[in-house]
Amino acid sequence: MKYNEYKNLNLPEIDKEILKFWEENKIFEKSIEQRPEDDTYVFYEGPPSANGKPGIHHVMARTVKDLFCRFHTMKGQRVERKAGWDTHGLPIELAVEKELGITKEDIGVKISIDDYNKQCRETVMRYKHMWDDLTVKMGYWVDMEEPYITFENNYIESVWWLLRRIYDKGLMYKGLTIQPYSPAAGTGLSTAELNMPGCYKDVKDTTAVAMFKVIKSEQSNFLFDDENEDVRIAAWTTTPWTLPSNTALTAGPKINYIKIKTNTPYTEAPVSVIVAEDLVGKWFGGKKQPAILEQSATFVGKQIEGVRYEQLMDYGNPIEDLHGGTDAFKVILGRFVTTSDGTGIVHTAPSFGADDRMVGKENGLGALTLVDKQGKFLDTVGEFSGRYVKNYKDDPNYVDVNIDISVRLKLDGKALNVAKYEHNYPHCWRTDKPILYYPLDSWFISASKMKERMFELNKTINWKPASTGEGRFGKWLENLQDWNLSRTRYWGIPLPIWRVRSTPSGAEGNSTENGSTASGFDSAQPTNHTICIGSIEELQKEIEKANAGLGLNQSVPEDLHRPYIDDIVLMSPDGLEMTRELDLIDVWFDSGSMPYAQWHYPFENKEKFERNFPADFIAEGVDQTRGWFYTLHAIAVMAFDKVAYKNVVSNGLVQDAKGQKMSKSKGNAVEPFSTLEKYGADATRWYMMSNSQPWDNLKFDLNGLAETQRKFFGTLFNTYNFFALYANIDGFQQDEMNAMPVEGRPEIDRWIISKLNSLVMEVTAAYEDYEPTKASRAIESFVADELSNWYVRQSRRRFWKTELGADKQAAFETLYQCLMVVNQLMAPIAPFFSEWMYKNLSDPIRGAAIDNDTPLKHESIHLTHLTKVQEELIDKDLEQRMDYAQRISSLVLSLRKKSKNRVRQPLQKILLPVLNDSFKQQVEGVKDLILSEVNVKEIEYIDDTSGFIKKKVKPNFKTLGRRMGKNMKAAAAAINGFTQEDIAALDKSGKYELNIDGEIHELTTEDFEIVTEDIPGWQVATDGDLTVALDVTITDMLIAEGLARELVNRIQNIRKDRDFNITDRIKVTLQNHPALAGALANFKDYICGEVLCDEFSIVDSLDGGEVIELVDGVETRVLVEVVA
RNA sequence: UCUGAGGUGGCGCAAUUGGUUAGCGCAUUUGCCUGAUACGCAGAAGGUUGUUGGUUCGAGUCCAACUCUCGGAACCA
């Protein structure tokens, strides 16, 4: 059976062929089944959401995942990989809203929740086919047959079970807090969502400095110079829409304030304004700024505490109680106030700021919540009633209410300044609309209570790169906030909590469902009137209890989603009705639950779960640090006090070739399918892994990809083709049972095998250490530099030989082995090409391998066991020797260049100074290689007994520097000044006593490097410790041989051009030329041997044939014909 | 503002962890080699290693300040 030979390399074609093979032979399935169940490598697949199309960055992330799974499979471990789909959440809901042309308010009105959720369920898998397609085409091995899907009842039940576990540990509570809220999406956002990339944006907003009129009282008296003075406190805001909801002003207790007499801009009325002393210059005295007519003495914030002022914009709304009182419109103190911005006095609206609420509550203040959850003013806010505070509806005619408020303030003489101001403001990650901070009643997980433990356990996780784990993730854990679980949406896992309503009529008003007023303010802790359901069985029992107690006829819904679950009424121990909290849970909890829920743990697969927890390895993009990486960790720590994963690789961004972020709007996004189609999956994967480390951002450049394809894969392909070509000619077959012992093979074979084993060691270690870039670069350099351009290049003649003897056999076996092992090493990153070559190499002997039960019995490389390093075959001496050979050759070629002697012209000898016997021996070992590589007849060693060479000694700074310290400079000078006698003495004894300033330093040979840099009378080339001279005397005989070689070259070119078979015998007719006399007389046999010529005739004149020029001026004709 | 990574010929990356001539590939260019090769080899050209100080016998590497790029956190007045 022959090895397949190929015309050219077509990677995409190979992809298709191999995909077919994998599928038909169920290779992926076998790669799992054939590995023992008790030696697992656990991988978790982070679930993508199939309602968006996959991008090129997914190829990156999935290559990382795939390669380590494949590596560990080849190490013999069982690596199960369950695919998963993230199916809930806002992105899907918003997509559906858009498609149906509805908004959140329409749900339950224009469309039933039931129908809406059905739509979501269908939409969420919209691009599943594309994902599946990408998975297949890029060679990502993951079990797509039985994926976990977060909307399935089993999954939901496991999530409920987890929540219950956390609930039972007292880590859940309900509270009313100021939270980021997206009116456009109609839901609160977690801090994690707020930290999604691109959420904070620079926006230009209208800002206003409002002036609050101080009421004269005993306390404020000192601020007034006379009865009629109009004293006002200035406060800056970037959100003028919160001004009507102002209930306090906050001053810094120790900040110095001052009163400025001026005229109100816009109305020109005289007024006295209080601002922080440090900020006077910011608002007064400049061009177009109010003049400073007079200023008071300074006073500290503490002195104005409790000073009352008139409500800035009064629309008669009642003040809400914050469980501390309903006081309002006075100055309070807060430590958070600074003088870096604004006026040093902070406008405080407890409904719209976390600090505001805290400080308000502490001071017994009430709140005004004059904006509803859709982001518009209540109907009771006078001229602003019903207006949106930001353009949440994409209304083209939207007029900024902040401007109108500012105008109103100007007209009323209450504005000190109105200006546009650019600042950074968070936006909703889905709707791109500015968020607002809003009081929401939500369920929280007390993550902050567990942060120390999370931090501690995080230290046991191996992060790649480490800085992400320690820095980004570690810092996040240190400052961990409680996790807001509640989402007031429809398509998601319902919160399994039922409560007794505190007010009989409160069923609607108290819920977090969208209503037109702010939610109530009960922030009850879990009580015995609250129940968290942890399983369907438990729900069933509770339903039965409620049915009996309340006379109902309910059952567990078939679908655990809304709206069905909302209808279930349970009963409290004291017989009261309990209804479900209408919230959904944060989708991030869904995905963080996958280690358990993918197996429906603990209701099924207990053992399977235990075998598969925690994960050995996970990988996603850095953007998941506070997403999936966090939720996995948090849930595992809170529910099990364990880590969820031991090793985690967070890969960086994929940018365009210029380092810009890829985005659809910029049009620089690379489409994954066409890239895979054009370059093949392996080249893409290889390029991504080898170009830069996965955690660095990748500048994705198609030119680089093409280079990988051409250079790495092309070279390897050619190496294989070379092997196949000659193996087929000789009928060589690898025989695993009777391999030649490596010790008996020629020097160069043992060399490449030594290098190969070094490579195995290096690559294996790199994979073990999650360093794919190191692994791939090592493989690349082995293939290109060592295997192809040295081993094969140097061994070519061995393959050409006519007879198949031991030497040729050794060459074939060695090359075969190198190709095979390289394939194995690269298989994790390049699964297609390696498979393809594996099959080409091993299919012919599969039968024998199976019969003999040898390593190549496997039908796929991905079922084989990775070759282990054989350290006894690593021969450092030999590697050093070959290094000499390469470097000496290089120097000789360099000398040829200088003396303008082309390589085909043989030269007589190389002169090589030797400094010691071991060096000479080393060079002797590779002498033939050097001579044939540089086309020289002999090496003449010059040792120093001749007194012919000049030695030089250089200090070894590394060893010497440490000991000499400050004397290093003097020492270096002394050493550089050594005479030939000094060097000879040093060479002989191996020691030297160096005297510096009377201090004696004992130096040994390792402190020096002795080199020759010169051979008097010769032109030399030097590289480090090597020096070479070349004898360029050309005798007639050498000229003749040179011409013979030129002739061989021309004839070979003709053979090649004419597409002769490599083994074809030929007949040559040459037109004579006087210059060729010597060559033909002495080298005719040589020429014939080289070009496989049977008949060589020389004629005086030739009509046919081709004109050839051998060297300058020597032109003749030659006719080359195949012998029939 | 804080924080992390980084800044090395035109481009993409190295540099044994502080050791003396800063490497490699791509691109440009001159030769050469080749019956596997779109490879390779020899040469040319291209660098004040972001800037400025400092530590050290010695700094691309360590320290400080500044600057730029890309991330991250926050500030919501």
Side-chain angles (χ1 to χ4, degrees):
Chain A
M1 213 174 154
K2 294 210 160 195
Y3 297 99
N4 294 321
E5 295 171 38
Y6 298 86
K7 272 264 173 286
N8 44 35
L9 175 62
N10 186 340
L11 287 173
E13 203 48 50
I14 289 175
D15 285 359
K16 286 181 192 135
E17 183 189 324
I18 297 302
L19 277 178
K20 198 167 153 229
F21 166 74
W22 285 346
E23 200 176 312
E24 282 171 2
N25 296 281
K26 301 211 172 305
I27 303 299
F28 173 48
E29 290 79 355
K30 286 178 188 166
S31 80
I32 294 168
E33 286 156 15
Q34 292 184 3
R35 300 309 197 230
E37 279 193 31
D38 57 1
D39 184 10
T40 57
Y41 178 77
V42 182
F43 166 73
Y44 291 160
E45 162 75 339
S49 175
N51 80 319
K53 295 180 188 175
I56 193 79
H57 57 289
H58 293 111
V59 176
M60 170 84 171
R62 298 173 131 211
T63 299
V64 174
K65 296 178 189 182
D66 191 52
L67 84 94
F68 292 109
C69 289
R70 286 181 188 267
F71 168 69
H72 282 273
T73 299
M74 291 180 80
K75 275 183 67 193
Q77 291 176 292
R78 182 182 270 242
V79 189
E80 296 188 20
R81 305 152 232 187
K82 204 175 172 61
W85 296 107
D86 194 13
T87 57
H88 286 138
L90 208 48
I92 294 133
E93 290 207 42
L94 293 174
V96 168
E97 278 183 15
K98 202 172 170 187
E99 248 161 70
L100 298 178
I102 59 169
T103 64
K104 194 191 175 203
E105 291 80 53
D106 298 327
I107 303 163
V109 182
K110 284 189 188 165
I111 181 172
S112 70
I113 297 175
D114 188 14
D115 287 342
Y116 174 79
N117 274 356
K118 269 187 192 140
Q119 187 75 34
C120 288
R121 189 186 285 257
E122 281 164 24
T123 305
V124 69
M125 289 303 188
R126 166 165 306 163
Y127 295 113
K128 180 175 180 294
H129 62 284
M130 282 182 89
W131 284 87
D132 288 348
D133 196 31
L134 184 79
T135 304
V136 169
K137 283 186 176 152
M138 69 166 287
Y140 179 39
W141 271 2
V142 63
D143 177 10
M144 294 188 294
E145 298 301 314
E146 292 178 66
Y148 64 91
I149 299 173
T150 59
F151 68 53
E152 288 181 344
N153 276 359
N154 282 350
Y155 198 95
I156 293 175
E157 190 182 19
S158 288
V159 170
W160 281 3
W161 180 83
L162 283 166
L163 269 179
R164 169 61 178 274
R165 204 175 154 101
I166 291 166
Y167 180 89
D168 284 346
K169 292 189 175 190
L171 292 173
M172 280 178 68
Y173 66 94
K174 189 177 192 184
L176 184 98
T177 53
I178 304 297
Q179 290 162 32
Y181 175 84
S182 170
T187 183
L189 301 169
S190 67
T191 37
E193 283 170 310
L194 211 56
N195 289 324
M196 305 282 292
C199 283
Y200 277 82
K201 289 187 198 180
D202 284 326
V203 287
K204 253 189 181 169
D205 275 332
T206 301
T207 66
V209 178
M211 299 191 293
F212 296 78
K213 186 169 179 142
V214 176
I215 297 170
K216 194 161 188 269
S217 67
E218 203 175 313
Q219 199 173 3
S220 63
N221 208 26
F222 80 101
L223 294 169
F224 289 81
D225 293 343
D226 59 70
E227 283 302 313
N228 300 321
E229 188 177 0
D230 186 357
V231 181
R232 295 182 182 238
I233 300 172
W236 182 56
T237 180
T238 55
T239 50
W241 60 268
T242 60
L243 286 170
S245 300
N246 169 285
T247 56
L249 292 170
T250 309
K254 288 180 183 166
I255 295 173
N256 282 318
Y257 295 94
I258 196 166
K259 187 180 78 182
I260 305 291
K261 281 196 179 167
T262 186
N263 292 314
T264 314
Y266 316 111
T267 64
E268 297 297 328
V271 68
S272 304
V273 184
I274 294 170
V275 294
E277 188 186 13
D278 292 349
L279 291 161
V280 170
K282 189 177 172 105
W283 304 110
F284 297 97
K287 269 188 192 173
K288 296 193 177 179
Q289 281 183 333
I292 302 172
L293 303 176
E294 194 183 321
Q295 50 187 355
S296 72
T298 62
F299 49 92
V300 293
K302 188 102 182 81
Q303 289 174 268
I304 52 169
E305 184 182 10
V307 165
R308 295 191 172 274
Y309 60 89
E310 287 177 10
Q311 183 174 10
L312 187 73
M313 307 180 93
D314 186 357
Y315 297 100
N317 290 285
I319 309 286
E320 301 152 15
D321 192 341
L322 290 181
H323 290 304
T326 56
D327 201 354
F329 316 126
K330 66 173 186 181
V331 176
I332 55 177
L333 300 180
R335 273 180 303 271
F336 59 89
V337 182
T338 66
T339 56
S340 58
D341 266 322
T343 62
I345 294 161
V346 177
H347 147 61
T348 303
S351 288
F352 303 112
D355 277 342
D356 301 38
R357 188 168 201 89
M358 181 197 72
V359 77
K361 212 166 166 178
E362 279 170 15
N363 287 279
L365 294 172
L368 284 166
T369 312
L370 303 183
V371 173
D372 69 13
K373 282 190 164 175
Q374 294 168 45
K376 66 181 197 303
F377 277 112
L378 303 185
D379 293 340
T380 54
V381 193
E383 61 189 294
F384 304 114
S385 294
R387 292 184 59 183
Y388 285 95
V389 302
K390 289 276 161 68
N391 187 9
Y392 290 116
K393 295 288 174 191
D394 278 330
D395 180 354
N397 301 317
Y398 178 78
V399 176
D400 189 352
V401 77
N402 294 290
I403 294 175
D404 289 348
I405 289 171
S406 303
V407 168
R408 165 58 48 208
L409 293 176
K410 282 183 187 176
L411 294 173
D412 293 349
K414 292 173 178 171
L416 179 66
N417 177 288
V418 172
K420 291 275 185 189
Y421 176 76
E422 187 170 305
H423 66 145
N424 219 250
Y425 196 81
H427 289 66
C428 172
W429 63 293
R430 292 318 309 182
T431 62
D432 238 20
K433 292 280 185 288
I435 60 108
L436 52 85
Y437 289 83
Y438 204 86
L440 294 176
D441 208 4
S442 305
W443 281 91
F444 285 86
I445 289 180
S446 320
S448 59
K449 274 191 196 164
M450 299 294 289
K451 68 182 177 186
E452 284 81 11
R453 187 62 185 151
M454 288 189 209
F455 186 80
E456 210 172 294
L457 285 172
N458 178 47
K459 287 186 195 157
T460 68
I461 297 171
N462 176 32
W463 280 83
K464 282 286 176 177
S467 59
T468 298
E470 284 160 26
R472 201 200 279 216
F473 196 62
K475 289 251 166 65
W476 161 261
L477 291 179
E478 268 180 299
N479 305 310
L480 201 58
Q481 305 286 308
D482 285 350
W483 182 353
N484 179 8
L485 265 190
S486 296
R487 292 299 118 96
T488 54
R489 296 289 318 195
Y490 299 92
W491 176 241
I493 298 184
L495 191 68
I497 293 177
W498 274 258
R499 298 178 72 207
V500 173
R501 294 294 158 200
S502 50
T503 49
S505 60
E508 200 51 41
N510 195 31
S511 81
T512 49
E513 196 69 321
N514 52 302
S516 58
T517 60
S519 46
F521 293 106
D522 81 324
S523 48
Q525 298 303 310
T527 65
N528 55 357
H529 299 301
T530 303
I531 183 171
C532 180
I533 297 292
S535 69
I536 290 170
E537 192 188 338
E538 188 186 359
L539 181 61
Q540 174 73 37
K541 277 190 191 146
E542 290 296 328
I543 283 176
E544 282 165 16
K545 212 159 73 183
N547 283 351
L550 300 168
L552 298 169
N553 183 24
Q554 323 174 88
S555 55
V556 174
E558 270 176 38
D559 175 1
L560 297 177
H561 284 92
R562 297 183 70 182
Y564 315 107
I565 197 74
D566 301 343
D567 297 335
I568 303 296
V569 175
L570 302 181
M571 191 180 75
S572 74
D574 37 5
L576 294 172
E577 276 192 13
M578 302 171 82
T579 51
R580 196 184 75 78
E581 296 285 277
L582 285 174
D583 297 351
L584 301 179
I585 65 168
D586 181 4
V587 275
W588 289 105
F589 197 95
D590 295 17
S591 53
S593 303
M594 63 70 60
Y596 329 92
Q598 68 172 334
W599 304 116
H600 193 209
Y601 179 82
F603 307 102
E604 286 180 76
N605 299 314
K606 271 195 160 169
E607 279 171 25
K608 193 151 200 170
F609 166 74
E610 275 152 23
R611 259 201 327 270
N612 286 289
F613 184 85
D616 287 297
F617 166 61
I618 60 171
E620 298 290 335
V622 261
D623 50 324
Q624 292 296 337
T625 310
R626 291 180 170 81
W628 194 54
F629 293 158
Y630 168 64
T631 58
L632 274 179
H633 187 62
I635 292 171
V637 173
M638 288 189 292
F640 296 92
D641 194 38
K642 279 188 179 161
V643 295
Y645 45 89
K646 295 176 190 165
N647 299 286
V648 50
V649 175
S650 74
N651 61 268
L653 303 171
V654 180
Q655 303 166 323
D656 74 4
K658 289 174 191 150
Q660 295 295 306
K661 208 170 165 179
M662 284 190 187
S663 69
K664 279 173 205 158
S665 54
K666 273 188 209 156
N668 62 348
V670 174
E671 208 279 314
F673 293 98
S674 58
T675 307
L676 292 176
E677 179 61 36
K678 185 167 176 198
Y679 298 92
D682 283 349
T684 309
R685 291 168 60 125
W686 193 273
Y687 166 71
M688 286 178 155
M689 291 303 105
S690 64
N691 186 67
S692 60
Q693 295 186 301
W695 34 90
D696 288 334
N697 292 344
L698 172 67
K699 287 175 189 156
F700 191 87
D701 186 353
L702 291 176
N703 293 324
L705 221 176
E707 191 186 326
T708 298
Q709 187 189 36
R710 164 163 52 84
K711 213 161 163 187
F712 175 63
F713 290 96
T715 302
L716 197 50
F717 167 82
N718 282 320
T719 308
Y720 164 79
N721 245 3
F722 175 87
F723 167 81
L725 180 64
Y726 288 100
N728 287 339
I729 290 172
D730 283 311
F732 166 80
Q733 278 300 353
Q734 177 74 359
D735 181 354
E736 288 183 282
M737 300 301 280
N738 297 297
M740 279 178 86
V742 172
E743 312 86 73
R745 301 190 203 177
E747 186 97 342
I748 192 157
D749 291 352
R750 284 185 288 113
W751 171 76
I752 194 71
I753 283 172
S754 173
K755 283 282 189 187
L756 182 69
N757 277 282
S758 297
L759 180 74
V760 171
M761 193 151 75
E762 188 180 353
V763 170
T764 310
Y767 282 142
E768 293 281 4
D769 199 23
Y770 299 93
E771 294 274 359
T773 308
K774 277 187 191 168
S776 57
R777 286 183 183 174
I779 295 168
E780 268 176 6
S781 100
F782 176 84
V783 167
D785 302 340
E786 262 108 45
L787 185 62
S788 170
N789 282 312
W790 192 255
Y791 176 75
V792 175
R793 181 185 167 84
Q794 294 305 324
S795 303
R796 266 179 304 188
R797 299 191 79 83
R798 299 167 65 201
F799 294 95
W800 294 342
K801 278 194 224 168
T802 39
E803 75 287 2
L804 178 61
D807 180 63
K808 200 173 191 177
Q809 179 76 21
F812 276 125
E813 285 191 24
T814 303
L815 183 53
Y816 186 94
Q817 186 185 354
C818 287
L819 287 172
M820 191 53 84
V821 173
V822 162
N823 271 323
Q824 275 199 319
L825 294 176
M826 69 189 278
I829 303 178
F832 293 99
F833 183 82
S834 55
E835 182 79 305
W836 173 83
M837 198 191 291
Y838 174 82
K839 287 172 62 54
N840 276 314
L841 286 171
S842 63
D843 276 354
I845 56 163
R846 184 86 60 236
I850 291 170
D851 291 344
N852 298 321
D853 194 29
T854 48
L856 296 181
K857 67 185 173 186
H858 298 102
E859 62 196 303
S860 161
I861 194 163
H862 303 291
L863 301 176
T864 62
H865 290 260
L866 195 64
T867 304
K868 290 207 171 67
V869 62
Q870 289 178 274
E871 291 194 49
E872 69 278 9
L873 295 179
I874 298 177
D875 181 343
K876 287 294 171 197
D877 257 6
L878 176 55
E879 290 186 12
Q880 161 93 73
R881 212 152 44 229
M882 199 58 76
D883 182 57
Y884 283 145
Q886 292 174 339
R887 284 163 61 204
I888 291 170
S889 300
S890 185
L891 290 171
V892 174
L893 291 172
S894 157
L895 286 168
R896 270 185 175 278
K897 167 102 182 172
K898 270 185 206 150
S899 60
K900 298 203 161 106
N901 275 297
R902 65 196 190 287
V903 178
R904 233 174 270 128
Q905 174 60 57
L907 294 172
Q908 193 54 42
K909 67 179 175 188
I910 298 166
L911 302 179
L912 189 63
V914 289
L915 298 163
N916 53 57
D917 277 351
S918 77
F919 173 72
K920 186 173 173 180
Q921 267 177 357
Q922 289 278 70
V923 176
E924 272 294 296
V926 289
K927 185 172 129 189
D928 293 343
L929 281 175
I930 298 171
L931 294 178
S932 80
E933 173 72 5
V934 300
N935 196 18
V936 175
K937 298 289 170 200
E938 58 185 311
I939 294 180
E940 185 178 318
Y941 301 99
I942 315 170
D943 56 29
D944 51 350
T945 54
S946 67
F948 191 42
I949 53 177
K950 252 175 100 179
K951 288 188 182 177
K952 216 179 160 186
V953 66
K954 285 182 180 170
N956 179 352
F957 281 84
K958 201 162 187 174
T959 63
L960 226 41
R962 189 157 294 162
R963 272 185 291 147
M964 305 301 289
K966 284 191 174 167
N967 293 323
M968 190 59 217
K969 260 188 182 145
I975 291 166
N976 286 328
F978 275 15
T979 62
Q980 292 294 311
E981 289 74 40
D982 286 334
I983 297 171
L986 169 66
D987 225 2
K988 210 166 201 177
S989 66
K991 279 186 203 151
Y992 192 87
E993 288 186 353
L994 187 65
N995 183 334
I996 290 172
D997 292 343
E999 210 177 321
I1000 305 291
H1001 300 270
E1002 283 274 340
L1003 306 184
T1004 60
T1005 39
E1006 66 160 16
D1007 296 324
F1008 303 97
E1009 198 183 350
I1010 299 174
V1011 296
T1012 36
E1013 273 187 337
D1014 202 17
I1015 308 173
W1018 292 84
Q1019 195 179 27
V1020 300
T1022 311
D1023 170 26
D1025 52 345
L1026 290 177
T1027 297
V1028 174
L1030 182 63
D1031 183 350
V1032 294
T1033 318
I1034 304 176
T1035 62
D1036 287 347
M1037 194 53 109
L1038 289 174
I1039 288 175
E1041 187 179 347
L1043 283 168
R1045 288 188 64 138
E1046 297 292 348
L1047 190 54
V1048 167
N1049 171 264
R1050 302 303 182 275
I1051 295 171
Q1052 295 286 44
N1053 287 345
I1054 292 167
R1055 289 182 59 117
K1056 205 172 169 184
D1057 289 346
R1058 300 262 193 85
D1059 273 337
F1060 286 8
N1061 272 328
I1062 212 161
T1063 48
D1064 283 344
R1065 311 294 302 183
I1066 57 168
K1067 185 171 106 183
V1068 174
T1069 314
L1070 181 72
Q1071 177 179 300
N1072 206 354
H1073 188 288
L1076 291 175
L1080 294 175
N1082 296 292
F1083 297 100
K1084 200 169 145 193
D1085 289 349
Y1086 161 78
I1087 295 167
C1088 290
E1090 289 292 306
V1091 302
L1092 305 183
C1093 171
D1094 288 345
E1095 295 172 40
F1096 193 106
S1097 37
I1098 300 161
V1099 296
D1100 285 337
S1101 80
L1102 183 65
D1103 284 340
E1106 308 187 20
V1107 176
I1108 52 172
E1109 184 177 31
L1110 296 175
V1111 290
D1112 274 348
V1114 181
E1115 203 177 274
T1116 186
R1117 302 183 80 91
V1118 67
L1119 176 66
V1120 180
E1121 298 159 291
V1122 180
V1123 176

